[in-house]
Amino acid sequence: MTTKPIPDIVVGRLPIYLRALQRMAQEGRRVTSSQELGERLGISAAQIRKDLSQFGEFGKQGTGYNIEFLAQQLQNILNVDRVWDVAVVGAGDIGSALARYQGLNNRGFRVAMIFDSDPKKVGTKVGAFVVKDSAKLVPEVSKAGIVIAMLAVPASAAQTVADQLVEAGVKAILNYAPISLNVPQGVRVQYIDPVTHLQRMTYYLDR
Amino acid sequence: MTTKPIPDIVVGRLPIYLRALQRMAQEGRRVTSSQELGERLGISAAQIRKDLSQFGEFGKQGTGYNIEFLAQQLQNILNVDRVWDVAVVGAGDIGSALARYQGLNNRGFRVAMIFDSDPKKVGTKVGAFVVKDSAKLVPEVSKAGIVIAMLAVPASAAQTVADQLVEAGVKAILNYAPISLNVPQGVRVQYIDPVTHLQRMTYYLDR
DNA sequence: TAGATTGTTAATCGATTAACAATC
DNA sequence: TAGATTGTTAATCGATTAACAATC
């Protein structure tokens, strides 16, 4: 018997739902509805119900969803009911900001180490971390059993570093370098390039 | 007569094509094909041709696409054949990294000013900029005619600042705060939240 | 010319929405 | 109970892919 896989586009919306739910919980709210959630997020109520129904039945007719319960369920589904260690590669402005970023807290992630190849940076402190030498990346990351990395090196170095991360056993890369990476099957990459986002908006701007 | 609008999902791929073309140009390449481009990007050749054909005929049968020409055309389409001034709001780690980020250069954008509400930060330097007081955001941004902003303030302040940006005439917001924003019709928002990207990947990770 | 690759059409595939019975 | 809202099905809508004539 084959279970049909969940569409990745659905998976991609779950973190958005979770984020909104956690915010609502913080606001002291106890229940919500697909309609209210949809209005906050600009997503149709039907879509939210459909998405959630892929994973189970989390609501009550007439009442809606218990916020804390649904958030808990989403954390389970997304495997963030634990804390993942993350390696940051590149200790420039972006890498340093990531190493200090408090926004990872309570959301399933923690920076565990940061690397740079520049001898002037190796050994210096960035936030709570001492910058390690990129030359040691493969052994250090494998030894720590780290499977998630944030890549914040120049585009020219990104593919080489990505190859090393893969060699070290990393399965998920969040890439801040403005370049598409080639990785083997089984390794996931997500891209963050502010410029592509900006250009997507300037298309609609006049002048 | 009504021309049917280009799907936003197509618009969203154009910056990726442009980025790859500019990289190829930098590598000294002169022509490419939908197939080669697709292999680099993990997108089907048919899709690339279909996307481009929405805007015109840019290739030659048997030969492919002239890289420099196609890049130029995409810059025109995306309105980045000019330089847009961008306002950064928030001078914490992320805002500071953005203000110093060199990756905007030659891609259609330039940071023009940075704001923060913390009196300890106002007046200090971040990269080439003196941090301005957020209290002056609306008049300063309107006066400068700035229509694009990058938002890097805490989630708790993000909606208020977004409202001010809208009031100041901003039409495109790149939001780094982990919260969904409500903005009026005609204003675009793009989101960058590393955690949502990471969670989208941990769904597929075991353990 | 022969080979390659575009631009486009039609077919397929997948995602979203509308609607409503079930039920809290 | 009456009202509200879920979970789900079927219908619609939109996006992707396959295929190929046109042509460089």
Side-chain angles (χ1 to χ4, degrees):
Chain A
M1 204 207 86
T2 331
T3 316
K4 124 175 42 147
I6 307 293
D8 183 62
I9 196 161
V10 173
V11 174
R13 279 190 295 259
L14 300 185
I16 310 296
Y17 300 160
L18 176 56
R19 195 175 68 181
L21 290 164
Q22 288 176 327
R23 185 141 204 93
M24 285 177 171
Q26 211 184 358
E27 289 165 3
R29 305 285 314 285
R30 300 197 78 82
V31 295
T32 186
S33 63
S34 58
Q35 172 157 20
E36 185 191 39
L37 206 44
E39 272 164 19
R40 281 220 192 191
L41 300 176
I43 294 177
S44 81
Q47 176 149 90
I48 291 172
R49 293 201 304 277
K50 187 107 212 287
D51 285 351
L52 296 177
S53 75
Q54 305 254 21
F55 301 95
E57 310 193 351
F58 305 119
K60 264 210 196 36
Q61 282 103 325
T63 311
Y65 301 91
N66 178 296
I67 290 171
E68 196 178 313
F69 174 75
L70 182 54
Q72 193 59 61
Q73 295 301 309
L74 289 176
Q75 287 179 305
N76 294 159
I77 293 165
L78 291 168
N79 291 322
V80 289
D81 52 348
R82 75 208 75 181
V83 177
W84 295 89
D85 279 346
V86 176
V88 174
V89 191
D93 287 324
I94 299 175
S96 300
L98 289 172
R100 282 192 284 254
Y101 187 50
Q102 295 307 302
L104 302 183
N105 299 339
N106 305 314
R107 298 180 71 194
F109 305 96
R110 156 174 76 199
V111 171
M113 46 182 78
I114 179 166
F115 295 92
D116 201 288
S117 61
D118 181 349
K120 293 197 207 77
K121 284 186 181 151
V122 174
T124 64
K125 282 202 105 180
V126 167
F129 307 95
V130 175
V131 177
K132 294 173 186 267
D133 190 336
S134 292
K136 300 273 169 54
L137 190 155
V138 176
E140 292 263 20
V141 169
S142 348
K143 194 179 98 201
I146 289 176
V147 295
I148 304 177
M150 300 195 283
L151 188 43
V153 302
S156 53
Q159 183 62 58
T160 303
V161 174
D163 294 343
Q164 292 169 347
L165 288 168
V166 169
E167 191 189 338
V170 164
K171 300 294 183 205
I173 299 173
L174 183 57
N175 179 29
Y176 282 78
I179 187 175
S180 296
L181 298 178
N182 281 109
V183 295
Q185 261 260 312
V187 177
R188 312 221 146 232
V189 182
Q190 289 277 306
Y191 295 90
I192 290 186
D193 176 357
V195 175
T196 59
H197 285 90
L198 291 171
Q199 292 179 338
R200 186 175 190 156
M201 297 192 283
T202 49
Y203 171 80
Y204 300 96
L205 297 183
D206 314 315
R207 241 200 61 201
Chain B
M1 204 206 87
T2 332
T3 316
K4 120 174 45 145
I6 308 292
D8 183 62
I9 196 161
V10 173
V11 174
R13 280 190 294 261
L14 300 185
I16 309 295
Y17 300 160
L18 175 57
R19 194 174 69 180
L21 290 163
Q22 287 176 328
R23 185 141 204 96
M24 285 177 171
Q26 210 184 358
E27 289 165 2
R29 306 283 316 284
R30 300 198 77 81
V31 295
T32 186
S33 63
S34 58
Q35 172 156 21
E36 185 191 38
L37 207 42
E39 272 163 19
R40 281 220 193 191
L41 300 176
I43 294 178
S44 80
Q47 176 151 88
I48 291 172
R49 293 201 302 279
K50 187 109 211 287
D51 285 351
L52 296 176
S53 75
Q54 305 253 22
F55 301 94
E57 308 193 353
F58 305 118
K60 266 209 195 37
Q61 282 103 324
T63 311
Y65 301 91
N66 177 297
I67 289 170
E68 196 179 313
F69 174 76
L70 182 53
Q72 192 60 60
Q73 296 300 308
L74 288 176
Q75 288 180 302
N76 295 157
I77 293 165
L78 292 169
N79 291 323
V80 289
D81 52 348
R82 74 207 73 178
V83 178
W84 296 88
D85 278 347
V86 176
V88 174
V89 191
D93 287 324
I94 299 175
S96 300
L98 289 172
R100 283 193 284 256
Y101 187 50
Q102 295 307 301
L104 303 183
N105 300 338
N106 306 314
R107 298 180 72 193
F109 305 95
R110 157 174 75 199
V111 172
M113 47 183 76
I114 179 166
F115 295 91
D116 201 286
S117 62
D118 181 348
K120 292 198 208 77
K121 281 184 183 154
V122 175
T124 64
K125 282 202 106 181
V126 167
F129 306 96
V130 175
V131 177
K132 294 172 187 270
D133 190 336
S134 292
K136 300 274 171 54
L137 189 155
V138 177
E140 292 263 18
V141 169
S142 349
K143 195 179 98 197
I146 289 175
V147 295
I148 304 177
M150 298 195 284
L151 187 43
V153 303
S156 52
Q159 183 62 57
T160 302
V161 173
D163 294 343
Q164 293 169 346
L165 288 169
V166 169
E167 190 189 339
V170 163
K171 300 294 180 202
I173 299 174
L174 183 56
N175 179 30
Y176 282 79
I179 186 174
S180 296
L181 298 178
N182 281 108
V183 295
Q185 261 261 311
V187 177
R188 313 223 145 233
V189 182
Q190 289 277 306
Y191 295 89
I192 290 185
D193 176 358
V195 175
T196 60
H197 286 91
L198 291 172
Q199 291 179 338
R200 186 177 190 154
M201 297 192 284
T202 49
Y203 171 79
Y204 301 96
L205 297 183
D206 314 313
R207 243 201 58 203

